[in-house]
């Protein structure tokens, strides 16, 4: 069974990401998943756990930003009776609940500094110290963390421990925003429409080509979560119908990014052009300007490095 089939898409960036995740899943290494809110970090973490040797054990997930600061330490490590007001009994933490399995710490960028220190201690020694206790306990837990912000910026601001970052960032995996995966949007739409048709017992709608073109040009600030919500709404309201541009919410119709060809600074010549030749020429110019540096060239072209390598291969560029 392919546990990564839940991650929908065929873009070069996604293929490369899943290859790395498969390799890392087979080990017990600590993984840090980076990506904007709504890009599917928990879905990826779950797939890694299911493909790991700990698949039969528990997968415990917690959003570090969803708990009040004063409760996070107790929630993770447990507490002793009387440790604080309301602590009427000993309570195990999530590390104990996940013993033998995997603990997914989402939005770890929201973890208070004092708790970061205790997490570092666990990663180094396997020991956890409950609130109010003086004796630590040991558990066998794999940690997968995720962040929706740049931890390097938080380190500079004194908000995140650099030693913890290095300990978490053993295998970094970065999920690209949906706006950089436009070739995956149609695959995701088909998946969601089929899912909601089965869930609600309705006939799925379909998107017209102009409507799909608008969706592919949209910036998707809410990423995959926003696309999923749109598909569910339209599945229910327009069941069995063809969705045109006018059926899309106003933010799609008025957003200048939703009108391909406008405000780009480029005008298509009356005689047309050879798009493949133009793309190859632009890649060649970028490589020349950066003296062959693929990462810098990709940045100049607004592409990921994997997409640039894919397109270089398509146009027959040498591997040197």
């Amino acid at each position: 069974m392919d546990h990564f089939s839940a991650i929908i898409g065929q873009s070069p960036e996604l293929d490369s990401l899943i290859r790395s995740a498969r390799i890392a899943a087979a080990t017990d290494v600590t993984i840090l998943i980076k990506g904007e809110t709504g890009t599917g970090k928990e879905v990826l973490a779950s797939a890694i756990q299911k493909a790991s040797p700990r698949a039969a054990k528990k997968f415990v997930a917690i959003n570090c930003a969803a708990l009040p600061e004063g409760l996070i330490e107790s929630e993770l490590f447990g507490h002793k009776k009387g440790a604080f007001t309301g602590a009427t009994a000993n309570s195990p933490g999530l590390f104990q609940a996940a013993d033998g399995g995997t603990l997914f710490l989402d939005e770890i960028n929201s973890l208070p500094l004092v708790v970061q220190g205790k997490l570092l201690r666990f990663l180094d020694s396997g020991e956890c110290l409950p609130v109010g206790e003086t004796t630590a306990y040991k558990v066998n837990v794999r940690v997968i963390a995720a962040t929706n912000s740049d931890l390097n910026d938080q380190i500079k601001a004194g908000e995140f421990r650099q030693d913890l970052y290095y300990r978490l960032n053993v295998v970094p995996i970065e999920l690209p925003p949906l706006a950089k995966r436009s070739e995956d949007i149609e695959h995701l739409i088909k998946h969601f429409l089929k899912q909601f048709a089965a869930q609600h017992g309705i006939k799925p709608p379909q998107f017209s080509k102009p409507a799909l073109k608008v969706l592919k040009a949209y910036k998707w600030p809410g990423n995959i979560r926003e696309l999923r919500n749109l598909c569910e709404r339209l599945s229910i309201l327009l069941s069995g119908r063809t969705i045109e541009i006018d059926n899309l919410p106003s933010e799609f119709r008025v957003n200048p990014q939703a009108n391909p060809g406008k405000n780009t600074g480029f005008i298509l010549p009356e005689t047309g052009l050879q798009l493949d030749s133009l793309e190859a020429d632009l890649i060649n110019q970028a490589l020349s300007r950066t003296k062959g540096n693929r990462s810098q060239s990709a940045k100049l072209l607004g592409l990921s490095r994997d997409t640039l390598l894919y397109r270089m291969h398509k146009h027959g560029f040498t591997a040197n």
Side-chain angles (χ1 to χ4, degrees):
M1 182 177 180
D2 183 7
H3 299 291
F4 290 91
S5 61
I7 304 168
I8 309 299
Q10 299 178 0
S11 63
E13 295 97 328
L14 203 64
D15 286 343
S16 176
L17 180 154
I18 291 174
R19 282 197 300 272
S20 298
R22 285 186 197 279
I23 295 169
T27 72
D28 241 5
V29 69
T30 304
I31 296 172
L32 179 61
I33 303 173
K34 306 173 183 179
E36 296 176 6
T37 298
T39 49
K41 296 187 289 296
E42 185 168 349
V43 173
L44 178 59
S46 178
I48 291 171
Q49 187 268 343
K50 289 174 182 176
S52 77
R54 297 176 182 260
K57 303 294 184 178
K58 288 185 178 179
F59 176 75
V60 178
I62 181 173
N63 186 321
C64 298
L67 289 173
E69 185 172 329
L71 293 180
I72 294 178
E73 184 177 0
S74 169
E75 189 76 15
L76 287 175
F77 302 104
H79 64 257
K80 182 181 179 181
K81 178 180 177 180
F84 51 85
T85 303
T88 57
N90 292 343
S91 176
L94 292 179
F95 273 99
Q96 283 179 293
D99 194 12
T102 303
L103 179 61
F104 174 57
L105 300 174
D106 197 7
E107 295 196 45
I108 198 164
N109 46 290
S110 300
L111 209 60
L113 282 167
V114 65
V115 184
Q116 291 177 31
K118 295 188 72 168
L119 176 59
L120 179 63
R121 176 182 178 178
F122 166 76
L123 293 172
D124 285 338
S125 67
E127 292 185 344
C128 297
L129 185 66
V131 178
E133 267 286 6
T134 56
T135 304
Y137 62 85
K138 279 200 170 189
V139 287
N140 178 13
V141 174
R142 181 192 196 166
V143 171
I144 300 176
T147 176
N148 58 10
S149 69
D150 190 335
L151 292 182
N152 285 304
D153 289 341
Q154 289 190 238
I155 289 169
K156 292 174 184 175
E159 298 169 352
F160 202 87
R161 293 180 61 130
Q162 189 173 47
D163 48 4
L164 176 59
Y165 173 72
Y166 290 140
R167 195 65 183 77
L168 292 169
N169 200 45
V170 180
V171 175
I173 299 177
E174 185 157 7
L175 280 166
L178 186 56
K180 290 188 177 179
R181 292 175 51 195
S182 58
E183 57 264 67
D184 288 338
I185 287 176
E186 195 164 353
H187 297 290
L188 285 162
I189 287 172
K190 288 178 180 177
H191 168 75
F192 288 137
L193 293 183
K194 182 178 178 181
Q195 175 184 324
F196 293 128
Q199 180 179 330
H200 299 295
I202 55 179
K203 185 177 180 181
Q206 58 182 351
F207 286 82
S208 69
K209 288 185 177 179
L212 281 173
K213 195 173 183 181
V214 167
L215 296 182
K216 288 179 180 180
Y218 182 63
K219 287 299 184 182
W220 296 107
N223 290 295
I224 297 173
R225 187 176 295 141
E226 183 181 6
L227 176 60
R228 183 185 185 279
N229 291 344
L230 174 70
C231 288
E232 184 167 24
R233 183 194 320 171
L234 296 178
S235 291
I236 293 169
L237 297 179
L238 299 171
S239 171
R241 292 173 53 184
T242 297
I243 297 168
E244 303 290 350
I245 293 176
D246 289 345
N247 299 127
L248 298 176
S250 59
E251 62 265 28
F252 292 87
R253 290 182 277 113
V254 302
N255 192 310
Q257 295 299 330
N259 295 291
K262 291 187 178 181
N263 300 324
T264 64
F266 178 81
I267 299 174
L268 182 70
E270 292 291 336
T271 55
L273 53 77
Q274 294 296 317
L275 188 57
D276 275 353
S277 298
L278 177 61
E279 182 178 73
D281 183 53
L282 290 171
I283 290 173
N284 188 53
Q285 288 185 48
L287 290 168
S288 297
R289 186 175 298 180
T290 62
K291 296 181 173 60
N293 186 302
R294 273 80 180 283
S295 297
Q296 291 181 19
S297 297
K299 189 173 182 180
L300 281 176
L301 295 168
L303 303 172
S304 72
R305 190 175 187 277
D306 286 322
T307 300
L308 174 62
L309 294 176
Y310 168 79
R311 294 185 181 180
M312 285 175 64
H313 177 74
K314 181 181 78 169
H315 292 299
F317 283 80
T318 63
N320 295 331

